Amino acid sequence: MRASAPQLLSTLALALLAACGSAASAKTLVYCSEGSPENFTPALNTTGTSFDAARPVYDRLTHFARGTTTVEPGLAESWTVSPDGKVFTFKLRKGVKFHSGVNGFTPTRDFNADDVLWSFERQWKADHPYAKVSGGKYDYFADMGLKDDLLALEKLDDYTVKMTLKTANVTMLANLAMDFAAIYSAEYADFLAKANKKEQFDQIPVGTGPFSFVTYQKDAVIRYKANKAYFGEKAQVDDLVYAITTDPTARYSKIKAGECHLSAYPRPADLPEMQKDATLNVISQPGLNIAYWAFNTQKPPLDKKEVRQALTMAIDKAAILKDVYLGAGAPAVNLIPPTIPAYNDAVKDWPYDPTKAKALLAKAGVKTPIELDLWYMPVQRPYNPNAKRVAEMMQADLAKIGVNAKLVTFEWGEYRKRLQQGEHQTGMLGWNGDNGDPDNFFFLHGCDAARPGGQNLSKWCFKPFDEKLLKARATADMKERTKLYKEMQVIEHEEAPDFKIAHSVVYEVMRKQVTGYKQSPFNTHEFNGVSLK
């Protein structure tokens, strides 16, 4: 039974009191998170909020060294790759323990190859016993081509797994370090299946990670405890608490009051005051991200590139950057940010030119006024600090060329679901890179991701672009890959499947007693290795 509001507040108050009211004990770390997870199974999700909630619990075959884009061993202690780039053989780490005591489960064995096969086959095989549990949508796995490209997954022995692909994929080791590739306990899955409680698998997680799950109360708090048996960089605190706080002003109030130790996504307008506060540290780095406004190319008149180009030239991007980002963002020209080496700086941004925009609409045979929907996110994200304000500014600009934009939004989970299904005409979203590779951005315009439910929100499947995407994915020569990616950026610019808004600077704020925290280029939040003075 779901707890009442007073119970939730009481529980959260006790958690924060234990964590911060006696800061001298420094045993509990409190993170002011920005939202509630959809569930605790990364394979089912695509949002940073849900990934953040599951990340303390799970490991993957490969990891990114904390705070970097460097791939290092995780649950696989080593691997070999065949000369043709299609076969990956992983030697698994021995002696790794799954969490014990969660949901009445006590493991009888260590992590092994059975868990690896179970975890990937759930996303890959329709006859897997958990394939349809919790809706059974594995969008990341499909969007990145694995659903079709995975040829075989074999257990050679208890600690050796061989993965064979139909085509070479030079991004695979980095891809396997991403959240969707988390490894789950096959034994825990069997335990719940026998009790006829499969649905609990995705809500009460068991993993091998640095923290084990304790409890979750929606819109209030998530609690974890340190996994003392963890094989990697261990937790330096006894308990970890996510204090779910959706409003950025409330997060700021909590961190000033010492009710949280860390917080992400501060309002740009609050940064000057935060930076002056002697009790706080404000850290930042250029974001590996993009904010964009997608045009659903399957819905007329957006199927005509002249119309998409007209909408692009109708928007005053400089005004949005000045008014909303307040210096914490740069205008986006290409899908990838300039920090990625394959960036094509020869591509020049579309000018803000309402007169030319009107002319392009007329050339495309569009008689104004016309009606369009403009979906905007109901949440603050690192790539877009205020989507509603951006939408209002776009709406005013579009009116000048005879386009009446109706503003639309939904609850965050529903918003994303409807966007991915293609219900919108136009919609705002963004992306934060997961692995530092250009492929991790360009797949957003790939044909694999254009299917209903996929993350290609423009539903733009353009064969000349997609052929280069697949060729780059299979090419080991970085010079050749860079050439292909630069050509793809020229195609994107001309076809204009979306309006690229900004690459933002990512800020995080913490209290001065926090030590060992490393800001991630992927905007992930990891708390093993973090301590309190």
Side-chain angles (χ1 to χ4, degrees):
M1 181 182 293
R2 184 177 176 182
S4 66
Q7 286 175 311
L8 293 178
L9 293 173
S10 175
T11 302
L12 180 56
L14 288 171
L16 297 179
L17 180 63
C20 305
S22 54
S25 66
K27 293 296 183 184
T28 299
L29 180 69
V30 181
Y31 170 57
C32 261
S33 64
E34 84 290 355
S36 295
E38 295 156 277
N39 55 63
F40 290 87
T41 293
L44 294 164
N45 300 316
T46 59
T47 67
T49 301
S50 294
F51 288 155
D52 267 348
R55 193 170 295 113
V57 176
Y58 294 112
D59 287 303
R60 295 148 301 283
L61 292 176
T62 58
H63 284 174
F64 294 112
R66 197 161 58 89
T68 78
T69 61
T70 302
V71 176
E72 65 179 11
L75 289 173
E77 61 182 10
S78 65
W79 51 82
T80 58
V81 183
S82 64
D84 65 2
K86 296 180 182 179
V87 182
F88 297 77
T89 305
F90 297 94
K91 288 290 183 183
L92 305 182
R93 196 178 297 273
K94 296 180 180 178
V96 176
K97 310 294 183 185
F98 279 102
H99 302 151
S100 182
V102 179
N103 202 19
F105 172 68
T106 301
T108 64
R109 62 166 177 82
D110 292 347
F111 153 79
N112 66 28
D114 292 334
D115 304 303
V116 176
L117 267 62
W118 190 98
S119 301
F120 287 110
E121 287 178 350
R122 179 183 180 183
Q123 303 178 70
W124 183 38
K125 293 190 174 182
D127 62 352
H128 188 281
Y130 272 74
K132 294 180 173 60
V133 175
S134 302
K137 288 188 176 293
Y138 309 102
D139 290 327
Y140 236 121
F141 188 82
D143 286 357
M144 300 189 73
L146 277 171
K147 184 176 181 180
D148 295 324
D149 289 348
L150 188 56
L151 180 64
L153 191 64
E154 303 167 77
K155 171 185 173 181
L156 302 186
D157 60 46
D158 281 350
Y159 292 95
T160 311
V161 170
K162 184 168 78 170
M163 178 182 288
T164 305
L165 307 177
K166 295 175 185 175
T167 58
N169 189 336
V170 298
T171 70
M172 182 54 63
L173 293 174
N175 290 347
L176 293 178
M178 291 159 53
D179 291 282
F180 83 96
I183 303 300
Y184 312 93
S185 167
E187 189 181 20
Y188 179 53
D190 290 343
F191 167 81
L192 291 177
K194 289 173 183 175
N196 199 29
K197 296 178 179 179
K198 283 185 178 181
E199 73 285 350
Q200 293 186 11
F201 185 88
D202 302 313
Q203 303 299 334
I204 306 174
V206 168
T208 60
F211 293 89
S212 63
F213 176 84
V214 176
T215 188
Y216 166 51
Q217 292 169 321
K218 185 175 172 57
D219 300 330
V221 64
I222 315 172
R223 293 185 63 88
Y224 314 82
K225 65 180 180 181
N227 175 12
K228 303 298 185 183
Y230 188 54
F231 67 86
E233 185 180 32
K234 289 182 169 54
Q236 300 299 307
V237 293
D238 295 311
D239 297 285
L240 173 64
V241 173
Y242 282 24
I244 299 168
T245 312
T246 57
D247 181 68
T249 302
R251 291 198 297 272
Y252 183 22
S253 296
K254 285 183 178 182
I255 202 159
K256 279 199 298 185
E259 295 177 6
C260 296
H261 296 109
L262 296 105
S263 177
Y265 318 126
R267 290 195 317 138
D270 291 332
L271 287 170
E273 184 180 341
M274 288 178 170
Q275 289 163 337
K276 293 175 185 175
D277 191 327
T279 68
L280 302 178
N281 272 333
V282 178
I283 59 176
S284 66
Q285 64 181 11
L288 196 67
N289 62 30
I290 174 78
Y292 60 85
W293 176 39
F295 308 130
N296 189 335
T297 60
Q298 295 181 1
K299 293 189 175 181
L302 299 167
D303 55 336
K304 297 179 179 180
K305 73 176 181 181
E306 292 84 4
V307 173
R308 304 193 297 266
Q309 291 170 353
L311 297 180
T312 294
M313 287 194 287
I315 304 302
D316 188 347
K317 187 182 298 187
I320 291 172
L321 268 290
K322 181 180 179 182
D323 186 82
V324 178
Y325 288 80
L326 303 177
V333 178
N334 295 315
L335 193 65
I336 59 172
T339 50
I340 292 182
Y343 185 84
N344 189 346
D345 54 13
V347 175
K348 302 305 177 187
D349 205 359
W350 291 98
Y352 168 53
D353 193 331
T355 302
K356 282 188 178 179
K358 287 181 182 179
L360 272 174
L361 287 179
K363 180 182 176 182
V366 175
K367 294 182 180 180
T368 56
I370 63 169
E371 309 290 325
L372 282 182
D373 63 33
L374 198 172
W375 293 27
Y376 67 91
M377 299 177 299
V379 296
Q380 181 191 28
R381 302 305 297 157
Y383 47 73
N384 190 333
N386 190 337
K388 184 179 181 182
R389 176 60 183 152
V390 173
E392 290 168 346
M393 295 180 74
M394 285 182 172
Q395 183 184 46
D397 285 342
L398 292 169
K400 296 172 186 175
I401 66 164
V403 176
N404 299 321
K406 178 185 177 183
L407 302 190
V408 178
T409 196
F410 300 92
E411 178 273 329
W412 181 222
E414 188 71 12
Y415 179 85
R416 283 182 36 261
K417 178 182 175 182
R418 288 172 177 259
L419 272 181
Q420 288 178 222
Q421 289 298 324
E423 294 182 20
H424 61 297
Q425 288 177 290
T426 76
M428 269 194 277
L429 204 69
W431 187 256
N432 201 95
D434 294 296
N435 65 19
D437 192 280
D439 180 84
N440 186 242
F441 281 83
F442 290 122
F443 91 96
L444 293 170
H445 283 159
C447 291
D448 280 332
R451 61 188 171 75
Q455 293 174 83
N456 182 343
L457 303 184
S458 302
K459 305 306 175 188
W460 178 67
C461 177
F462 192 64
K463 291 299 182 184
F465 179 91
D466 202 61
E467 288 167 2
K468 292 179 187 293
L469 174 68
L470 298 177
K471 185 176 179 181
R473 193 175 285 168
T475 302
D477 183 343
M478 196 58 208
K479 185 176 180 181
E480 176 61 21
R481 290 185 80 208
T482 296
K483 178 176 178 290
L484 289 165
Y485 290 133
K486 288 190 173 184
E487 292 169 355
M488 289 158 63
Q489 288 163 80
V490 173
I491 294 171
E492 280 180 336
H493 178 264
E494 173 65 19
E495 292 294 320
D498 47 32
F499 172 72
K500 297 164 180 70
I501 303 170
H503 306 293
S504 75
V505 177
V506 177
Y507 289 89
E508 297 180 57
V509 60
M510 64 189 76
R511 294 194 64 80
K512 282 283 178 71
Q513 67 261 45
V514 176
T515 63
Y517 181 75
K518 295 181 180 179
Q519 192 170 21
S520 166
F522 309 125
N523 194 43
T524 60
H525 303 97
E526 298 173 86
F527 302 108
N528 47 323
V530 180
S531 188
L532 299 168
K533 292 179 185 175

